[in-house]
Amino acid sequence: MTDRSTLDLSSRDPDWWRQAVVYQVYPRSFADADGDGLGDLRGITRRLGHLAALGVDALWMSPFYPSELADGGYDVADPRDVDPRLGTLDDFDELVAEAHRLGLKVIVDIVPNHSSHQHAWFQEALRAGPGSAARDRYVFRDGRGEHGELPPTDWQSVFGGSAWQRVPDGQWYLHLFAPEQPDLNWENQEVRADYRTTLRFWSDRGVDGFRVDVAHALVKDLSEPLRDLGRPELSREEALTALPPGTHPFYDRDEVHEVYRDWRKILDAYRPPRMAVAEAWVPGARRALYARPDELGQAFNFEYLEARWDAGELRQVITDSLATARAAGASATWVLSNHDVIRHASRLMLPPDTDLNAWLLSGGRAPAVDEAAGLRRARAATLLMLALPGSAYVYQGEELGLPEVADLPTEVLQDPIWEQTGHVRKGRDGCRVPLPWTTAGPSYGFGPGGAWLPQPPGFAAYAVEAQDGAEGSTLEMYRTALRLRRKLLDGEDLTWAEDAPDGVLQFDRCEGWRCVTNLSATPVPLPAGEVLLSSAPLEDGRLGPDTTVWLGR
């Protein structure tokens, strides 16, 4: 286990996370050391030099815990161990030690809303039967109807269908996601105590922070009788706004903040304090509550990810996001891609009214996306994001400009959404295809063998080997941007230029650093200043469409 006294010396700034660039690693798809086609911890350790050279501050690892992969690892059978296919706890300790040696912080994903149905607790609950203490750790209820044959409520799973699953003795258990992911009962004190143990377990092993999955859904209104929503067809966002804030039966309840205030006491007991960031799909004003200093400290900003490529909309989202973070005493967060959404090199090129699932079902052909145009826009979006005050979260492969693999054959899909919706929604596999490291080989350098999801031949041109040292490549643009960002970043404010042309976003940061993004269809004059970095070549000294430039004075 890593020595904690050494760790304390690795970060003298307890607020390092406020302006950090964090690189998300999806372990199964990053690098495979043993050749079984599945990414693993030793593979990550071997490639940490790539992250150090890129210039990020930290890596965040999606779950690597024991799991049957019913939901890509977010179905956790033991939150304090490593899946044998991905390595061992010793491998984890070596990864943390090497990351810290390279100056990288380590953030791990925790999944407190639910466990795997293979978790020892859930197996015990099935054996123990109705009314048992073991069942009280989860949300079991009798069904409705004459013989209990109907679900207890009309609540729907995020992945489709009822959020209730019946067990052989007739009771039903709640699963807001896949049936293999039974929801934990956060009214149960044993559940709360166990997660305190989990936080300490990984903090003692040297992690610098935690990303909290589904942070808004832990606490439910389980008072009897359970409430129907009345309109189960509503989306998550619609359901949240249809009820007074904090009163939805299972999303964003006011009581959930008691959990995070308790966690903050644990995280602050370490030196330096451990950081945390909430995945909370809630409106901005409610999101700020999770980011308060006495709670998690930071929360993901999904309004920015979902914003259209439109100057007015982006400016409003940025302004509101900065104000929301400031009100919470937190720093803003910015993200363009992650393991749950279509990669932004493809997504940003789709018309605003595109049905994204229909686009995936078409194999990315209706409408077709011009990869070169998508990459140009993605590069511009990246430089805009990296110029903003706060923390930027970068998803693995976006530094290579990877597009969405929308044409995966249905027979290789592994996301449970595909099966659970009866082949209606294609799911998220297209953004999880393993990374290309080399231009040749059975998996483009991902590992000595094949890959668990097929990589398209076009990945060779995006490989690290193809872009390393290549002038103008996306990889080199990211490296340059992150190097400049370290030198230029100071403070957490920006000043908008009110005289920018239509379709142009322009703002000043500290020390005269200026960012200009042209989201219009025509070139625009370039403001005065020294060109530090441009996402695309200038056009006779003018800033072309879908281009961002950083200027110094």
Side-chain angles (χ1 to χ4, degrees):
M1 190 178 298
T2 312
D3 178 58
R4 284 176 59 188
S5 63
T6 302
L7 289 173
D8 290 352
L9 296 175
S10 72
S11 177
R12 298 184 183 278
D13 179 9
D15 292 330
W16 62 269
W17 49 272
R18 293 186 68 94
Q19 300 262 38
V21 176
V22 180
Y23 185 101
Q24 182 190 358
V25 169
Y26 190 70
R28 286 196 298 159
S29 299
F30 189 69
D32 170 25
D34 61 14
D36 65 355
L38 201 64
D40 47 44
L41 296 187
R42 287 193 295 123
I44 297 171
T45 302
R46 291 179 183 180
R47 295 291 190 180
L48 287 176
H50 171 72
L51 303 189
L54 189 61
V56 300
D57 299 289
L59 67 148
W60 146 37
M61 291 191 293
S62 291
F64 49 84
Y65 314 113
S67 170
E68 66 176 332
L69 302 178
D71 182 23
Y74 283 87
D75 48 313
V76 178
D78 184 346
R80 297 190 288 274
D81 203 353
V82 174
D83 191 302
R85 291 165 294 183
L86 274 64
T88 65
L89 283 170
D90 285 343
D91 292 330
F92 178 84
D93 292 340
E94 290 175 12
L95 188 160
V96 172
E98 178 63 7
H100 286 159
R101 187 187 71 81
L102 292 170
L104 298 167
K105 310 294 187 297
V106 178
I107 299 168
V108 299
D109 222 317
I110 55 172
V111 189
N113 178 69
H114 47 264
S115 77
S116 165
H117 67 154
Q118 295 183 337
H119 192 290
W121 274 4
F122 192 74
Q123 291 301 307
E124 180 186 356
L126 293 179
R127 294 190 300 269
S132 64
R135 286 212 172 173
D136 189 59
R137 298 179 185 130
Y138 293 89
V139 184
F140 277 87
R141 290 293 187 275
D142 293 330
R144 297 186 293 191
E146 185 177 354
H147 304 290
E149 72 277 10
L150 300 176
T153 68
D154 64 359
W155 301 352
Q156 296 292 293
S157 161
V158 173
F159 291 162
S162 174
W164 296 94
Q165 181 77 14
R166 202 174 191 190
V167 299
D169 60 34
Q171 277 205 312
W172 299 72
Y173 68 85
L174 179 68
H175 62 90
L176 291 183
F177 294 87
E180 296 87 352
Q181 296 168 289
D183 278 47
L184 290 160
N185 173 18
W186 276 83
E187 291 183 0
N188 184 295
Q189 292 303 313
E190 193 174 359
V191 170
R192 297 195 179 208
D194 192 69
Y195 257 89
R196 294 185 194 106
T197 300
T198 295
L199 292 173
R200 293 187 179 102
F201 179 87
W202 294 111
S203 295
D204 288 345
R205 298 197 93 91
V207 306
D208 302 282
F210 299 89
R211 180 263 189 186
V212 184
D213 185 63
V214 198
H216 58 296
L218 275 60
V219 176
K220 283 88 172 172
D221 178 6
L222 299 179
S223 57
E224 297 291 349
L226 296 182
R227 289 188 284 150
D228 278 339
L229 279 172
R231 297 180 62 192
E233 76 281 0
L234 293 180
S235 70
R236 172 173 47 197
E237 292 77 11
E238 291 169 333
L240 279 170
T241 55
L243 294 169
T247 67
H248 189 283
F250 52 86
Y251 282 146
D252 190 38
R253 293 192 58 76
D254 290 336
E255 300 92 329
V256 77
H257 299 288
E258 299 170 9
V259 175
Y260 301 130
R261 282 190 285 271
D262 180 53
W263 286 14
R264 177 44 59 191
K265 296 173 185 176
I266 295 171
L267 302 178
D268 281 352
Y270 288 84
R271 292 293 178 268
R274 281 19 179 180
M275 63 81 69
V277 58
E279 182 207 25
W281 290 85
V282 297
R286 295 290 298 181
R287 186 180 66 243
L289 304 180
Y290 297 82
R292 289 178 290 192
D294 66 339
E295 294 194 30
L296 296 177
Q298 199 171 61
F300 281 124
N301 172 10
F302 294 113
E303 284 93 339
Y304 183 74
L305 182 150
E306 295 175 334
R308 295 176 300 160
W309 189 244
D310 174 84
E313 183 171 335
L314 279 170
R315 174 167 172 166
Q316 190 63 55
V317 166
I318 291 168
T319 300
D320 291 347
S321 299
L322 290 171
T324 297
R326 192 176 296 112
S331 61
T333 63
W334 314 103
V335 60
L336 288 165
S337 286
N338 62 36
H339 64 289
D340 282 333
V341 300
I342 293 170
R343 285 187 176 274
H344 67 274
S346 299
R347 188 184 72 249
L348 289 176
M349 290 305 298
L350 294 171
D353 59 349
T354 300
D355 181 326
L356 296 180
N357 181 62
W359 181 76
L360 288 173
L361 289 172
S362 77
R365 291 183 286 272
V369 170
D370 182 331
E371 278 196 15
L375 179 59
R376 180 183 178 105
R377 188 168 286 184
R379 288 165 58 106
T382 292
L383 288 195
L384 170 61
M385 176 181 74
L386 293 177
L388 294 170
S391 296
Y393 286 78
V394 174
Y395 181 50
Q396 65 176 44
E398 70 174 76
E399 79 277 19
L400 307 177
L402 290 183
E404 183 80 1
V405 184
D407 59 353
L408 285 171
T410 56
E411 61 268 20
V412 306
L413 298 180
Q414 298 197 27
D415 192 332
I417 289 176
W418 175 243
E419 293 296 336
Q420 197 162 327
T421 61
H423 300 177
V424 171
R425 289 166 55 194
K426 195 170 184 181
R428 303 158 293 178
D429 289 309
C431 65
R432 300 176 178 183
V433 175
L435 296 189
W437 294 91
T438 61
T439 57
S443 60
Y444 301 109
F446 168 67
W452 68 279
L453 281 174
Q455 302 151 300
F459 263 29
Y462 291 96
V464 174
E465 182 181 52
Q467 299 194 46
D468 186 24
E471 185 177 356
S473 72
T474 302
L475 176 59
E476 291 301 335
M477 185 197 77
Y478 268 76
R479 288 173 174 170
T480 302
L482 294 181
R483 184 173 64 251
L484 285 171
R485 189 178 188 273
R486 284 181 182 273
K487 295 179 180 178
L488 298 169
L489 204 59
D490 186 24
E492 297 183 12
D493 297 306
L494 60 75
T495 303
W496 293 106
E498 300 301 339
D499 58 350
D502 289 343
V504 174
L505 285 180
Q506 179 178 324
F507 56 83
D508 287 349
R509 294 295 311 280
C510 53
E511 302 299 327
W513 174 27
R514 175 173 293 171
C515 177
V516 188
T517 302
N518 183 7
L519 296 93
S520 75
T522 58
V524 296
L526 193 65
E530 176 192 2
V531 175
L532 304 176
L533 182 62
S534 181
S535 64
L538 301 179
E539 300 179 10
D540 295 324
R542 295 162 65 85
L543 190 65
D546 292 340
T547 305
T548 295
V549 66
W550 290 0
L551 300 171
R553 291 181 183 172

